[in-house]
Amino acid sequence: MDKFSPHYFTVRVYYEDTDAGGIVYYANYLRFFERARSEYVRDLGVSQQTLLDENIAFVVKKINMENHAPAKFEQEITIQTIISELKRASMVFKQSIYFEDRLLVSAEVQVACVNLLKMKPCAIPSLLYKECLRVN
């Protein structure tokens, strides 16, 4: 069992997200996961624009994604995001996409905090780190 509370983000599948058959194109799941992580951070009260103004960003270091079933045009899908590992300069998220109660896609995403001026890893800002700990 994960020690952190899950975050949920819902989005509708638009035509632009799909292939010619009305099925979500696999690379677009990465966009849905990214949006869900961004909304998670926003809901924790941390502005990514403020982080960027301080030359801090998060970059995806590693992702492992598994497709279980397709999402389809006009479905309203829910992305569940859980922090499974929190370190001083990186986090691992477990993310799942559901349509109703059916698991469609799962992923484990490792992100690293970087100083954009130096392009080197740096500590996660203390406000965000503390907020991540709070939601456990």
Side-chain angles (χ1 to χ4, degrees):
M1 182 170 160
D2 293 302
K3 82 177 215 183
F4 292 93
S5 300
H7 178 269
Y8 298 94
F9 175 66
T10 301
V11 64
R12 184 169 305 282
V13 174
Y14 292 105
Y15 186 73
E16 67 189 26
D17 300 319
T18 65
D19 60 17
I23 303 295
V24 170
Y25 181 67
Y26 77 95
N28 288 331
Y29 292 119
L30 298 175
R31 293 174 49 220
F32 296 145
F33 287 137
E34 180 75 32
R35 290 178 195 170
R37 290 193 309 276
S38 294
E39 289 300 323
Y40 192 175
V41 170
R42 178 178 283 116
D43 288 350
L44 289 175
V46 177
S47 164
Q48 287 188 341
Q49 184 60 55
T50 300
L51 295 177
L52 288 172
D53 292 345
E54 296 171 2
N55 296 304
I56 295 173
F58 288 90
V59 296
V60 172
K61 182 175 180 184
K62 182 170 137 180
I63 186 163
N64 184 20
M65 185 175 87
E66 184 173 353
N67 295 304
H68 304 277
K72 299 176 183 173
F73 177 55
E74 292 197 348
Q75 287 180 334
E76 194 170 83
I77 57 175
T78 300
I79 301 98
Q80 177 187 32
T81 303
I82 298 171
I83 299 171
S84 63
E85 187 177 315
L86 178 64
K87 294 184 177 179
R88 286 305 304 153
S90 67
M91 290 187 259
V92 176
F93 294 93
K94 287 188 179 178
Q95 294 187 274
S96 302
I97 297 177
Y98 294 91
F99 173 64
E100 297 173 345
D101 290 332
R102 185 173 187 196
L103 176 63
L104 305 178
V105 183
S106 58
E108 186 171 89
V109 184
Q110 181 182 21
V111 298
C113 187
V114 297
N115 177 307
L116 292 173
L117 295 177
K118 298 177 183 177
M119 292 309 291
K120 300 232 182 226
C122 66
I124 296 169
S126 61
L127 173 64
L128 178 57
Y129 191 84
K130 288 176 187 174
E131 285 301 303
C132 289
L133 288 176
R134 184 186 61 78
V135 298
N136 70 7

